[in-house]
Amino acid sequence: MDLEDNLLMMPGPVPVPPRVLRAMSKPMINHRGAQFSGIYDDCRRILADVFETENDIFVLSSSGTASMEAAVGCIADKDDRIISIENGKFGERFKDIASRYGSVVPLEFEWGSSVDLDMLEAQLQEGAKAVTMVHNETSTGILNPAEQVGKLAKKYGSLFVMDGVTSLGGDNVFVDDWGVDVAVVGSQKCIGAPPGLSMLSVSEAAFDAMEKESLPYYLDLKACKKSADKEKTQTPYTPAIPLFYALQESLHIIEEEGMDARIERHHKGAAAVRAAMDAMGIEMFPQLNEYSAYSNTVSAMKAPAGMDSETLKKEMMKSGITIAGGQAHLKGKIFRIGNMGNVSYRDILSTLQQIEVVFKKRGVVSDLGPATEAAIEVLCK
Ligand code: PLP
């Protein structure tokens, strides 16, 4: 298939606007010179708005997982109690990373179900250096209660390390107000840039907690700070310059749209997906409680009776639309539609229309139209 005809409606990587792709083709520059320093400063300035923080912000030339590892790798020493909340694939990943560095207390919930804050508080009462949690659990489409977890962590003197890989840039995240000590985002999600970079904010308390004798080498956040604090802002090692060009352009797009409008667009996009699914009798996958919500950037639905979600994915591919299936034990059982970054209402409607066509062909729905109409109603509100 022609790559340019492929509409990426998966939860990252996302479609990248032509002006961002063009930005990557500029000539290389000296990464120790003033020009690079200016680009890095500009990115950090706009990211501070996206993160709603005055904490230090760094950009790593590696994907989101590297920033997750940088955070726990610098904070956790082998006997440190680290509470790792897991209710999906990426919570599991955070737990696995933390277990390489600290003494992990797993707080596990069935994938797709909500976090129990009373259980978290009970663990915090016993003391913990840090809590890790995924804000927007991409694997299950649930939005976890970051504000409440941040406040609880502060109450008991623990650090809060948050994976905001698929929420930052597309949903409300208030790093300072919520007390998030380290927040991580990936370039290829709501930020709307190509994969390959991750960005993270680090609080003073988090830096103070990096008292280990031996920090990771490439992922040493103190080294990131030292380089960023130089007269000419730098990264410790050679940055992926073309990706920085792309990131800067993507952040300019964010600035032009404005964060409030961007978040509203993401909220409406996901609401339209949910309305369409409801109109077709398709159930959402997450089990919500009073503190959780459906994700505003990726929707996860149960596969209809008698139809494997991998089949739906393949059928959608035939019309050039890539949606996601389920991960690990959820493979075949759920399907996911991303509406991250610069995905437009037109993209969302085309996707929903095509799903309706596939479902009609397979006898899942009897009529064409109700799903798309329900989505249009939400988008036009
Ligand atoms: N955390 C979440 C919530 C994600 O969705 C992803 C990727 O999909 C990651 C972490 C891992 O990021 P990366 O693949 O950029 O390393």
Side-chain angles (χ1 to χ4, degrees):
M1 194 212 302
D2 186 344
L3 287 180
E4 289 185 14
D5 286 341
N6 184 23
L7 174 59
L8 283 180
M9 293 298 292
M10 52 191 270
V14 296
V16 175
R19 63 185 263 202
V20 175
L21 292 174
R22 277 195 301 274
M24 283 196 291
S25 62
K26 287 189 287 195
M28 292 308 104
I29 49 175
N30 173 13
H31 63 293
R32 302 292 177 220
Q35 260 177 321
F36 178 78
S37 179
I39 292 169
Y40 195 12
D41 283 340
D42 196 32
C43 290
R44 294 172 86 215
R45 173 185 64 80
I46 304 171
L47 285 166
D49 280 346
V50 173
F51 281 59
E52 296 270 356
T53 188
E54 293 187 0
N55 290 340
D56 277 307
I57 290 188
F58 309 110
V59 180
L60 303 188
S61 293
S62 340
S63 77
T65 307
S67 280
M68 293 161 79
E69 181 150 9
V72 280
C74 289
I75 287 170
D77 215 344
K78 54 183 185 314
D79 294 326
D80 290 335
R81 257 180 124 243
I82 308 291
I83 302 172
S84 276
I85 299 172
E86 170 190 338
N87 61 347
K89 174 84 193 155
F90 295 103
E92 176 187 61
R93 183 175 298 180
F94 227 169
K95 177 189 74 181
D96 290 346
I97 295 170
S99 67
R100 302 254 176 131
Y101 295 94
S103 167
V104 164
V105 180
L107 201 54
E108 294 160 345
F109 305 94
E110 208 178 308
W111 288 14
S113 64
S114 297
V115 173
D116 182 329
L117 293 174
D118 293 335
M119 286 171 73
L120 172 64
E121 185 156 16
Q123 285 299 343
L124 281 166
Q125 276 164 353
E126 292 184 31
K129 184 150 189 196
V131 179
T132 69
M133 188 181 74
V134 176
H135 182 208
N136 191 68
E137 183 45 87
T138 322
S139 64
T140 64
I142 201 166
L143 189 65
N144 284 323
E147 179 173 9
Q148 287 85 348
V149 169
K151 298 215 156 120
L152 274 176
K154 285 287 132 335
K155 181 172 165 192
Y156 293 98
S158 300
L159 297 171
F160 178 30
V161 181
M162 189 188 84
D163 169 337
V165 169
T166 53
S167 57
L168 277 153
D171 206 347
N172 287 307
V173 178
F174 301 98
V175 164
D176 290 354
D177 284 357
W178 294 354
V180 186
D181 291 287
V182 183
V184 175
V185 67
S187 54
Q188 79 277 27
K189 312 282 189 183
C190 302
I191 300 292
L197 298 180
S198 54
M199 292 70 81
L200 73 174
S201 67
V202 184
S203 72
E204 247 179 75
F207 276 121
D208 290 345
M210 294 177 197
E211 65 223 345
K212 298 166 66 169
E213 252 175 50
S214 173
L215 293 174
Y217 191 90
Y218 190 71
L219 300 175
D220 179 348
L221 292 173
K222 282 188 172 170
C224 290
K225 181 164 171 57
K226 200 169 155 203
S227 295
D229 284 349
K230 285 187 175 158
E231 200 185 315
K232 277 202 237 102
T233 317
Q234 294 185 10
T235 56
Y237 319 107
T238 313
I241 294 169
L243 291 176
F244 273 74
Y245 291 151
L247 176 66
Q248 186 185 28
E249 197 64 28
S250 304
L251 292 170
H252 285 171
I253 291 175
I254 291 179
E255 221 181 10
E256 288 159 21
E257 181 175 20
M259 271 310 288
D260 288 347
R262 192 174 179 87
I263 290 168
E264 160 89 8
R265 181 169 59 74
H266 280 81
H267 280 215
K268 263 195 178 179
V273 172
R274 292 195 297 271
M277 294 303 148
D278 191 42
M280 294 188 289
I282 301 292
E283 269 182 79
M284 300 302 294
F285 177 63
Q287 303 284 310
L288 302 185
N289 70 7
E290 63 191 297
Y291 298 111
S292 54
Y294 292 124
S295 163
N296 296 303
T297 65
V298 54
S299 303
M301 280 70 58
K302 293 183 188 168
M307 188 176 177
D308 190 284
S309 61
E310 290 300 298
T311 308
L312 171 63
K313 221 172 89 179
K314 281 187 201 127
E315 287 288 321
M316 293 296 288
M317 273 307 286
K318 287 185 195 160
S319 54
I321 300 176
T322 305
I323 61 167
Q327 292 170 285
H329 64 275
L330 296 176
K331 187 167 179 170
K333 298 195 169 77
I334 66 168
F335 62 102
R336 294 172 299 144
I337 301 173
N339 61 296
M340 296 178 183
N342 301 298
V343 160
S344 66
Y345 290 168
R346 186 184 59 183
D347 299 335
I348 293 169
L349 281 177
S350 311
T351 306
L352 295 172
Q353 203 168 31
Q354 195 54 34
I355 289 180
E356 203 170 30
V357 168
V358 175
F359 281 171
K360 171 85 174 23
K361 255 202 309 201
R362 298 266 166 171
V364 175
V365 297
S366 46
D367 297 318
L368 281 181
T372 322
E373 263 175 43
I376 291 173
E377 199 127 308
V378 171
L379 296 177
C380 290
K381 237 185 237 162

